[in-house]
Every structure is written in structure tokens, then in C-alpha cells.
Amino acid sequence: MKCPKCGKEMRDGYLFCSKDGAFSFANEVPRVFENAKNADGFVKITDIKASHRTKIPASICEACKTVMFDY
């Protein structure tokens, strides 16, 4: 796949997090003791997987530091 920003070839792999983690998106990162689901613009990208790494198939362009994934 070609990078939409610079046009160079992207490398396929996985975006992953530490054990028991999950990926989310929001307009701002909530504080440690705030419920992330209440953050403005919150979108759950993955579920928590107890004792497993959360992973998402992704493509990376190391030339312009772009990562693309579908959720």
C-alpha cells in the first residue's frame, strides 16, 4: 500500500499495546482517575483482553511517520 501522505510504500504489521490494555481515541487524554468513556469525543477502538496484548492490523510509513489502521 502506498502512503497517502508521501506516496512511499508502507509496511504491514500490527499496532499493539501492553498487556491488559485497549486502544481508545478522544479529543484529549483523560486524567488517571477519570473514566475514559466520559472523555469528550471518546471512541472505543478495541476491547480489553485480560492477560493478552491488544493488536490491530496496521500499515506504517517510516519515511513520514504515518500509521494507518481500520477499527
Side-chain angles (χ1 to χ4, degrees):
M1 156 191 277
K2 298 287 184 188
C3 176
K5 284 178 95 175
C6 72
K8 293 187 178 178
E9 194 65 31
M10 297 184 84
R11 182 167 50 95
D12 292 332
Y14 294 91
L15 182 64
F16 65 93
C17 70
S18 61
K19 292 181 180 179
D20 297 341
F23 290 106
S24 302
F25 181 88
N27 296 338
E28 292 184 11
V29 177
R31 294 186 195 133
V32 175
F33 297 109
E34 289 181 305
N35 186 334
K37 292 178 183 176
N38 295 331
D40 184 44
F42 176 83
V43 176
K44 179 175 82 171
I45 296 175
T46 64
D47 291 319
I48 291 177
K49 293 183 176 181
S51 300
H52 292 87
R53 291 189 189 275
T54 301
K55 65 181 181 179
I56 303 170
S59 299
I60 188 169
C61 177
E62 294 178 85
C64 70
K65 300 188 183 320
T66 298
V67 176
M68 294 183 55
F69 62 91
D70 293 324
Y71 71 96

